[in-house]
Amino acid sequence: MLLGSSFASPFTQLHLSPSPNAGAGARPAAGLALRIEAAKQLTGRVVTTKANKTVGVEVARLKQHPKYHRREKIKKKYQAHDPDNQFKVGDFVELVRSRPISKTKHFLAVPVPPRDTRRKAQLLPPLESQSGDDSAAAAAEETTA
């Protein structure tokens, strides 16, 4: 049985499944176990590719310090499955949860599309003052000549 909840994010699903310990005479409320599954998406940088079909990915996140209330960077390293050995050190990848592949590998590495590195000035059309400067400079040359 699938339930929605007001406190959960839209990616969180609540599943009610019968408990394996529940007998035929057990009450329905006591026989249902609550299991919460949240979509966990992590993005990080590949730091090692020494193992075959495995990459080490470092994921950084910001966490607030309990006493000083300052945000500090927390880094954690995950092992992810790379079936084609396609990633190099320094690549950015997204980690998608999967079934356990080994004792430490529970994620699949998926390439992240590259970010658009063009500058903001190249994305926006030129300003009228910038395009008008060229014509004003040409007019000034004609009057001085």
Side-chain angles (χ1 to χ4, degrees):
M1 179 183 344
L2 182 66
L3 295 177
S5 176
S6 61
F7 67 86
S9 70
F11 301 110
T12 304
Q13 296 178 351
L14 299 176
H15 293 278
L16 289 178
S17 58
S19 175
N21 299 334
R27 293 182 296 175
L32 294 178
L34 184 62
R35 181 180 54 156
I36 298 175
E37 291 181 359
K40 189 170 193 178
Q41 293 181 350
L42 302 170
T43 304
R45 188 173 60 88
V46 175
V47 292
T48 182
T49 58
K50 291 183 179 179
N52 187 27
K53 297 185 179 181
T54 302
V55 291
V57 180
E58 187 178 65
V59 176
R61 65 183 182 94
L62 294 176
K63 179 185 174 189
Q64 190 173 18
H65 190 276
K67 181 177 180 181
Y68 300 113
H69 304 292
R70 180 178 175 176
R71 294 171 70 170
E72 55 187 357
K73 187 183 281 191
I74 304 293
K75 295 179 184 177
K76 188 168 180 182
K77 190 173 164 187
Y78 295 95
Q79 299 295 319
H81 188 58
D82 179 17
D84 302 327
N85 290 326
Q86 63 180 341
F87 298 113
K88 308 273 187 281
V89 174
D91 290 348
F92 283 93
V93 296
E94 182 176 341
L95 300 179
V96 179
R97 265 205 137 139
S98 69
R99 63 176 178 80
I101 299 166
S102 70
K103 181 180 176 182
T104 58
K105 284 200 306 189
H106 304 281
F107 292 97
L108 180 67
V110 177
V112 174
R115 296 177 73 175
D116 194 6
T117 57
R118 292 185 292 177
R119 296 182 181 240
K120 188 176 180 181
Q122 295 173 345
L123 296 174
L124 299 175
L127 298 174
E128 292 179 13
S129 60
Q130 291 175 349
S131 61
D133 290 341
D134 296 335
S135 61
E141 290 176 10
E142 291 177 6
T143 56
T144 57

